[in-house]
Amino acid sequence: MSAVISNAIELLRQFFLWMSELDSSIALRESTYVAPWFQVLHVVSVSLFAGSVFLMDLRLVGVGSTRLPFSYVQRQLFPWQMAGIAAANLTGAGLLFANPMTYFANIIFWTKMFTMALAGLNALAFHFVTATTMAEWDSRSQLPPAAKFAGVLGLVLWTNVIIAGRLMYYANTWFRQ
């Protein structure tokens, strides 16, 4: 088992190394203006995404926008969530492409990726399992417990993604080899 994991890590390292040696990766990494703008656009798109997700999750938990039917809140926020996550993924991929080896060796980056995967699974489970009865929710005084759980889990996971995203730039200072 450990040999399989070691081989997988080595393949991933080789891929990141290959990517870091591409002319376009080097050009992006060494650019004076483009790479910093990727960072700015990433922060803005993550803010758009996280803000709209937090509003929906707070509604699920029963804290925010409780006077509005959940289906209305969902219809209003979902397009913003999709725009935010698309832009965040594109700009995040650009940041990774510019400095792949920096991210490869960063434990907080991998923590962010893992937590994002869990948050994505929570969102998929919510949309394809829990939300199948959403039409009935507007006539209830309380949302189903599974919806509240998805909201709490979403708040916790996405908060951790944001925290890891901000802290990963300190990993080299904190975890010197």
Side-chain angles (χ1 to χ4, degrees), residues 52 56 73-83 127:
S52 57
M56 178 135 27
V73 173
Q74 197 272 340
R75 274 193 313 276
Q76 298 303 309
L77 294 176
F78 191 72
W80 294 104
Q81 292 171 345
M82 293 301 99
H127 283 286

Side-chain angles (χ1 to χ4, degrees), residues 17-121:
L17 186 60
W18 169 81
M19 190 172 23
S20 74
E21 294 171 352
L22 292 172
D23 290 340
S24 50
S25 176
I26 295 166
L28 184 56
R29 182 169 47 253
E30 294 177 353
S31 71
T32 303
Y33 301 107
V34 179
W37 275 105
F38 265 94
Q39 187 68 253
V40 168
L41 293 173
H42 188 64
V43 169
V44 170
S45 59
V46 167
S47 298
L48 172 64
F49 173 71
S52 57
V53 165
F54 284 7
L55 288 172
M56 178 135 27
D57 285 344
L58 288 171
R59 176 62 180 94
L60 285 171
V61 185
V63 175
S65 304
T66 55
R67 292 186 203 160
L68 298 172
F70 179 78
S71 61
Y72 175 81
V73 173
Q74 197 272 340
R75 274 193 313 276
Q76 298 303 309
L77 294 176
F78 191 72
W80 294 104
Q81 292 171 345
M82 293 301 99
I85 196 69
N89 282 329
L90 287 171
T91 55
L95 293 169
L96 175 62
F97 184 73
N99 288 297
M101 292 311 291
T102 299
Y103 291 109
F104 178 79
N106 190 318
I107 187 67
I108 300 176
F109 168 77
W110 292 109
T111 301
K112 177 184 176 182
M113 294 299 106
F114 179 72
T115 308
M116 261 184 9
L118 291 177
L121 289 173

